[in-house]
Amino acid sequence: MKKIVLIKKMIIFCIAIIVIELAIMLIIKINRESEIEYFDGLNDLIVTDNGYVGVGESDFKYSKDVSEVKYHYKDNNIIATRCKIAIYDKEKKLIKEKSFDSEYDSSFYGVVKVNDGFIAVGSIVSDKEQIEVNTRDALMVKYDNDLNVVWSNTYSVLSDTKFNKIIDDGDNNYVIIGQSIYENMEIGNHIIGGGIIVRINSEGEVIAHNNYGGNKSGNFNDILKVDDGYIVCGKDAANYGIIVKFKKDFNREEKDTDLISKKVMWQRTYSNTDNRGFMDMALIGDTIYACGAVNISDEKDSNDEPIYKYDAGIVLYNTSGKYLGKKLTLNDDVHNLFTSIETDNEYLYLTTHMNVDDNDDIKKSMLVKMDLEGNIIKKEKYDNENNNLLNKIMKLNDDYLVVGVSKTRCSLLTGCDNEPVIKDYNNDLKTID
């Protein structure tokens, strides 16, 4: 009898141990899952006859068209966030999405419509060694109208390269801007890195290249095509926004060994931006409105060094490169950032990332309407309940379309989900949807 009781106790004890171990494993799994942030966002969008085509990056957790990919790195299974290109109908309903087949992370930042499809540009981790040093190659992919890959090419000058934007240059040529810099701690005196401008043909072959800015920091974010060339904006060193004008034939030839290429018509540096420089531009007549975040403080420390305090701001130049002596700001007490700008030639419409210095998990965006003198007409916060980042605003007839990403839900068991934003506003910043 005593043996039976002892056996029962041992069985109960073993079951208890198993239950405790299962509970611990479940808690560990819940903790791991709750820390996962699933991502699906848009960086750029274009209008088509039947709706829209957008590009960005996604882990494709909920995709019906693309399978989720994981790669093994440092004893962890990492969910790859890969290039996304997607077709939406006129009601912004997702019709089809595709990725670029890659083993590791990749992203699309820009897209352009071509005669028989689309060309998307961005960056890609081509091999595992790049993960360790946090570098990428620039990526360009042509898709047909059904999102089948027609061709793809990678591109690099220095170790870390990306393409930020692509525009139609006519005659089946396209101009792309971006960045190619040394990896962290790498040293050299290469003169054709930094912010880069590249022309490709319809087959993705590079037929012209030029650059401006430091080989550790230069970057181009936006481009305007004008009659006699191209005006680009971005950053050089920390706190230095730049605007550069290239000739129409901007190719840097091998004999062009000067630090600044002879194909650069003029360059202007604004030494009071944050470390992102100028993010976007709007052109009204002969005036360039370059937006980002600008220093609004005249204070200095005990060593007579500037004490920077930033606000979302716009700096004005003309197309000859003359600084017009004016900056327009949001007049807020926190570090906001204008990420994108559009205009109807009477008012400016902008997307804003709010309080970008805040390390809190909560990220917010705002839409702003101001007149050409900088008077704020309206400020409209986007979705007070969720995290959100609005990346682009674009004009559609008399209305405006914004794109980005919003954190829609979080669960203890499944982690957090971030989903694309595509939303219409009228010129009073009221939603149309």
Side-chain angles (χ1 to χ4, degrees), residues 306-317:
I307 298 175
Y308 290 103
K309 181 180 179 182
Y310 295 106
D311 188 13
I314 304 168
V315 181
L316 279 62
Y317 295 84

Side-chain angles (χ1 to χ4, degrees), residues 91-102:
E91 284 68 47
K92 305 174 193 67
K93 179 182 177 183
L94 177 65
I95 302 302
K96 179 188 292 187
E97 63 182 349
K98 289 288 185 71
S99 180
F100 180 71
D101 188 15
S102 61

Side-chain angles (χ1 to χ4, degrees), residues 39-43 55-58 84 391 404-406 418-421:
F39 190 87
D40 188 8
L42 294 175
N43 296 317
V55 295
E57 62 258 29
S58 177
K84 168 178 175 164
N391 297 321
V405 60
S406 179
N418 292 272
E419 296 183 352
V421 169

Side-chain angles (χ1 to χ4, degrees), residues 19 44 86 139 165 351 383 400 431:
V19 170
D44 197 11
L139 175 67
K165 187 169 183 176
T351 54
D383 188 358
Y400 296 85
T431 57

Side-chain angles (χ1 to χ4, degrees), residues 105-116:
D105 287 352
S106 58
S107 304
F108 281 145
Y109 307 120
V111 63
V112 68
K113 182 77 177 75
V114 299
N115 291 334
D116 53 352

Side-chain angles (χ1 to χ4, degrees), residues 251-387:
N251 190 42
R252 179 192 272 268
E253 300 172 358
E254 289 186 14
K255 61 182 180 180
D256 187 1
T257 57
D258 292 342
L259 186 63
I260 299 177
S261 167
K262 297 178 177 64
K263 301 296 180 70
V264 172
M265 300 175 70
W266 52 257
Q267 68 279 345
R268 299 292 179 265
T269 300
Y270 188 82
S271 60
N272 275 289
T273 67
D274 70 2
N275 60 9
R276 299 167 184 82
F278 292 128
M279 301 292 292
D280 197 14
M281 295 180 290
L283 182 63
I284 303 178
D286 192 41
T287 301
I288 302 166
Y289 295 77
C291 71
V294 299
N295 180 38
I296 56 173
S297 170
D298 295 322
E299 298 179 51
K300 293 189 177 182
D301 62 18
S302 58
N303 295 320
D304 205 32
E305 295 294 329
I307 298 175
Y308 290 103
K309 181 180 179 182
Y310 295 106
D311 188 13
I314 304 168
V315 181
L316 279 62
Y317 295 84
N318 68 18
T319 52
S320 297
K322 180 182 178 181
Y323 171 57
L324 299 182
K326 183 179 291 187
K327 62 181 180 184
L328 315 176
T329 61
L330 198 54
N331 297 318
D332 275 357
D333 292 328
V334 294
H335 184 173
N336 294 326
L337 169 73
F338 285 140
T339 58
S340 181
I341 184 170
E342 265 288 2
T343 183
D344 60 2
N345 294 323
E346 184 177 0
Y347 296 100
L348 303 171
Y349 300 83
L350 303 108
T351 54
T352 310
H353 290 180
M354 300 172 61
N355 202 6
V356 296
D357 285 336
D358 190 355
N359 292 322
D360 194 337
D361 289 337
I362 305 299
K363 302 300 179 186
K364 295 293 184 183
S365 286
M366 178 167 52
L367 294 164
V368 177
K369 177 180 179 180
M370 66 169 62
D371 66 21
L372 302 186
E373 298 300 316
N375 300 304
I376 305 296
I377 307 302
K378 190 171 184 181
K379 297 190 292 187
E380 186 72 28
K381 290 184 179 179
Y382 179 83
D383 188 358
N384 286 326
E385 295 182 2
N386 297 318
N387 279 9

